[in-house]
Amino acid sequence: MQITVRPAAEHEVDVAAAVLGEAFATDPVLAEFRPPRPDEDRVAVLGQLFAALVRAVPAGSRALDVAVEAGGRVVGAAFWEAPRPHPGGTIAFVRQLPALLGVFGVVGGLSALRHLRRTDRVRPEAPHWYLLGIGVAPVARGQGVGGLLLEHALDRVDGQAQHAYLESSTPVNRRLYRRHGFGDGAPVPGFRSAAPIAMWRPAVAP
């Protein structure tokens, strides 16, 4: 399978979000942020969530990369948040509130905010790029697409001499991140059944 990794166009946000939604359908951390509900289309709901999360970060403060087959189909996506501060971040977030409330509801939204505050406290103070989500479509898994997405993003991070940070919820994912220079950090507290840990990749000297 011939794969090209590149920045997503604005019209590809929804399709990239759909790939992320499918990849995170059984993720234990996201299941606590937004528990599954009976008879819902979990993949579609999470696709809507990722689309809103992407658009809640101003375009100049995010990076959404896609892995694309030779025929043009998007088979992987990675969503990064640039180092803070994010000019225009409040306005971008407010614009996505209706979509976010449609996914979470009011009570679920408050619960999600509590989770976000806990995870935010673990994040390092040093400026860094933050990986919010990376996923590969089932048809392309096991072919190195996740690694290609990471390499593409980390080339950008290294070009800016920046740090990188993420939280990982599974041992399989942690092996991939370690191969790309991330080291294990502290557990992220506050989850009942999930056990995510923080992972940090220090800036590479130019």
Side-chain angles (χ1 to χ4, degrees), residues 84-109:
R84 295 170 175 171
H86 300 152
T90 300
I91 294 173
F93 177 77
V94 168
R95 286 175 176 165
Q96 296 306 312
L97 272 178
L100 291 168
L101 288 174
V103 172
F104 286 108
V106 174
V107 174

Short mmCIF file of all heavy atoms in Angstrom, two decimals, residues 84-109:
data_model
loop_
_atom_site.label_atom_id
_atom_site.label_comp_id
_atom_site.label_asym_id
_atom_site.label_seq_id
_atom_site.Cartn_x
_atom_site.Cartn_y
_atom_site.Cartn_z
N ARG A 84 1.05 26.41 23.55
CA ARG A 84 0.22 27.52 23.98
C ARG A 84 1.06 28.79 24.10
O ARG A 84 2.26 28.70 24.26
CB ARG A 84 -0.43 27.18 25.34
CG ARG A 84 -1.40 26.01 25.27
CD ARG A 84 -1.78 25.60 26.68
NE ARG A 84 -2.80 24.55 26.67
CZ ARG A 84 -3.18 23.88 27.75
NH1 ARG A 84 -2.63 24.14 28.93
NH2 ARG A 84 -4.11 22.94 27.66
N PRO A 85 0.40 29.97 24.06
CA PRO A 85 -1.04 30.25 23.97
C PRO A 85 -1.57 30.13 22.55
O PRO A 85 -0.79 30.11 21.59
CB PRO A 85 -1.13 31.70 24.46
CG PRO A 85 0.17 32.30 24.05
CD PRO A 85 1.19 31.22 24.20
N HIS A 86 -2.90 30.06 22.44
CA HIS A 86 -3.57 29.92 21.16
C HIS A 86 -4.44 31.16 20.90
O HIS A 86 -5.57 31.23 21.40
CB HIS A 86 -4.45 28.67 21.13
CG HIS A 86 -3.68 27.41 21.36
ND1 HIS A 86 -4.24 26.28 21.92
CD2 HIS A 86 -2.39 27.09 21.11
CE1 HIS A 86 -3.33 25.32 22.00
NE2 HIS A 86 -2.20 25.80 21.52
N PRO A 87 -3.95 32.12 20.16
CA PRO A 87 -4.76 33.30 19.88
C PRO A 87 -6.09 32.91 19.22
O PRO A 87 -6.12 32.11 18.29
CB PRO A 87 -3.89 34.11 18.92
CG PRO A 87 -2.47 33.66 19.20
CD PRO A 87 -2.60 32.21 19.55
N GLY A 88 -7.17 33.46 19.73
CA GLY A 88 -8.48 33.14 19.19
C GLY A 88 -9.06 31.83 19.70
O GLY A 88 -10.11 31.39 19.23
N GLY A 89 -8.40 31.22 20.69
CA GLY A 89 -8.84 29.92 21.18
C GLY A 89 -10.22 29.95 21.83
O GLY A 89 -11.02 29.03 21.65
N THR A 90 -10.52 31.00 22.58
CA THR A 90 -11.82 31.08 23.25
C THR A 90 -12.96 31.16 22.23
O THR A 90 -13.97 30.46 22.35
CB THR A 90 -11.87 32.29 24.18
OG1 THR A 90 -10.84 32.16 25.17
CG2 THR A 90 -13.22 32.38 24.87
N ILE A 91 -12.77 31.98 21.20
CA ILE A 91 -13.81 32.12 20.18
C ILE A 91 -14.02 30.81 19.45
O ILE A 91 -15.16 30.38 19.20
CB ILE A 91 -13.43 33.24 19.19
CG1 ILE A 91 -13.45 34.59 19.90
CG2 ILE A 91 -14.38 33.26 18.00
CD1 ILE A 91 -12.93 35.73 19.07
N ALA A 92 -12.91 30.13 19.09
CA ALA A 92 -13.02 28.85 18.38
C ALA A 92 -13.76 27.82 19.23
O ALA A 92 -14.59 27.06 18.72
CB ALA A 92 -11.62 28.34 18.01
N PHE A 93 -13.46 27.78 20.53
CA PHE A 93 -14.12 26.83 21.42
C PHE A 93 -15.61 27.13 21.53
O PHE A 93 -16.45 26.21 21.46
CB PHE A 93 -13.46 26.84 22.79
CG PHE A 93 -14.12 25.94 23.79
CD1 PHE A 93 -13.91 24.58 23.76
CD2 PHE A 93 -14.97 26.46 24.76
CE1 PHE A 93 -14.53 23.73 24.68
CE2 PHE A 93 -15.59 25.63 25.68
CZ PHE A 93 -15.36 24.27 25.62
N VAL A 94 -15.95 28.39 21.72
CA VAL A 94 -17.36 28.76 21.88
C VAL A 94 -18.16 28.38 20.63
O VAL A 94 -19.31 27.92 20.73
CB VAL A 94 -17.48 30.27 22.18
CG1 VAL A 94 -18.94 30.73 22.06
CG2 VAL A 94 -16.94 30.57 23.58
N ARG A 95 -17.57 28.53 19.47
CA ARG A 95 -18.27 28.18 18.23
C ARG A 95 -18.58 26.69 18.16
O ARG A 95 -19.53 26.28 17.48
CB ARG A 95 -17.42 28.59 17.03
CG ARG A 95 -17.42 30.09 16.77
CD ARG A 95 -16.47 30.45 15.66
NE ARG A 95 -16.54 31.88 15.35
CZ ARG A 95 -15.63 32.53 14.62
NH1 ARG A 95 -14.59 31.87 14.11
NH2 ARG A 95 -15.77 33.82 14.39
N GLN A 96 -17.80 25.87 18.85
CA GLN A 96 -18.02 24.43 18.81
C GLN A 96 -18.87 23.91 19.98
O GLN A 96 -19.13 22.72 20.07
CB GLN A 96 -16.68 23.68 18.79
CG GLN A 96 -15.85 23.94 17.55
CD GLN A 96 -16.61 23.66 16.27
OE1 GLN A 96 -17.24 22.61 16.12
NE2 GLN A 96 -16.57 24.61 15.33
N LEU A 97 -19.28 24.82 20.87
CA LEU A 97 -20.07 24.38 22.03
C LEU A 97 -21.35 23.62 21.64
O LEU A 97 -21.65 22.58 22.23
CB LEU A 97 -20.42 25.57 22.92
CG LEU A 97 -19.39 25.92 24.00
CD1 LEU A 97 -19.83 27.15 24.77
CD2 LEU A 97 -19.17 24.73 24.94
N PRO A 98 -22.12 24.09 20.65
CA PRO A 98 -23.32 23.31 20.29
C PRO A 98 -22.98 21.88 19.85
O PRO A 98 -23.68 20.93 20.23
CB PRO A 98 -23.93 24.12 19.14
CG PRO A 98 -23.44 25.51 19.36
CD PRO A 98 -22.05 25.36 19.91
N ALA A 99 -21.92 21.73 19.06
CA ALA A 99 -21.53 20.39 18.61
C ALA A 99 -21.05 19.54 19.79
O ALA A 99 -21.39 18.34 19.89
CB ALA A 99 -20.45 20.48 17.54
N LEU A 100 -20.28 20.13 20.69
CA LEU A 100 -19.77 19.39 21.84
C LEU A 100 -20.91 18.99 22.78
O LEU A 100 -20.95 17.85 23.27
CB LEU A 100 -18.74 20.22 22.58
CG LEU A 100 -17.42 20.44 21.83
CD1 LEU A 100 -16.57 21.51 22.52
CD2 LEU A 100 -16.63 19.14 21.71
N LEU A 101 -21.85 19.89 23.00
CA LEU A 101 -22.99 19.56 23.86
C LEU A 101 -23.87 18.51 23.20
O LEU A 101 -24.49 17.69 23.88
CB LEU A 101 -23.79 20.82 24.18
CG LEU A 101 -23.13 21.79 25.15
CD1 LEU A 101 -23.96 23.06 25.28
CD2 LEU A 101 -22.93 21.14 26.51
N GLY A 102 -23.91 18.50 21.86
CA GLY A 102 -24.67 17.47 21.17
C GLY A 102 -24.09 16.09 21.40
O GLY A 102 -24.82 15.09 21.40
N VAL A 103 -22.79 16.01 21.58
CA VAL A 103 -22.14 14.72 21.84
C VAL A 103 -22.22 14.34 23.32
O VAL A 103 -22.53 13.20 23.67
CB VAL A 103 -20.66 14.77 21.41
CG1 VAL A 103 -19.91 13.52 21.86
CG2 VAL A 103 -20.55 14.92 19.89
N PHE A 104 -21.96 15.32 24.20
CA PHE A 104 -21.86 15.01 25.63
C PHE A 104 -23.15 15.20 26.39
O PHE A 104 -23.40 14.51 27.39
CB PHE A 104 -20.79 15.92 26.27
CG PHE A 104 -19.38 15.57 25.94
CD1 PHE A 104 -18.63 16.37 25.09
CD2 PHE A 104 -18.78 14.43 26.46
CE1 PHE A 104 -17.32 16.06 24.78
CE2 PHE A 104 -17.47 14.12 26.17
CZ PHE A 104 -16.73 14.93 25.31
N GLY A 105 -23.99 16.18 25.98
CA GLY A 105 -25.07 16.62 26.84
C GLY A 105 -24.49 17.53 27.92
O GLY A 105 -23.28 17.61 28.11
N VAL A 106 -25.36 18.19 28.67
CA VAL A 106 -24.89 19.14 29.69
C VAL A 106 -24.18 18.41 30.82
O VAL A 106 -23.06 18.76 31.20
CB VAL A 106 -26.06 19.97 30.24
CG1 VAL A 106 -25.59 20.85 31.39
CG2 VAL A 106 -26.67 20.83 29.13
N VAL A 107 -24.79 17.37 31.36
CA VAL A 107 -24.19 16.65 32.48
C VAL A 107 -22.90 15.96 32.04
O VAL A 107 -21.86 16.03 32.71
CB VAL A 107 -25.18 15.62 33.06
CG1 VAL A 107 -24.49 14.77 34.14
CG2 VAL A 107 -26.39 16.32 33.65
N GLY A 108 -22.93 15.32 30.88
CA GLY A 108 -21.73 14.67 30.37
C GLY A 108 -20.63 15.67 30.06
O GLY A 108 -19.45 15.38 30.23
N GLY A 109 -21.02 16.85 29.60
CA GLY A 109 -20.04 17.89 29.33
C GLY A 109 -19.32 18.33 30.58
O GLY A 109 -18.10 18.54 30.57
#
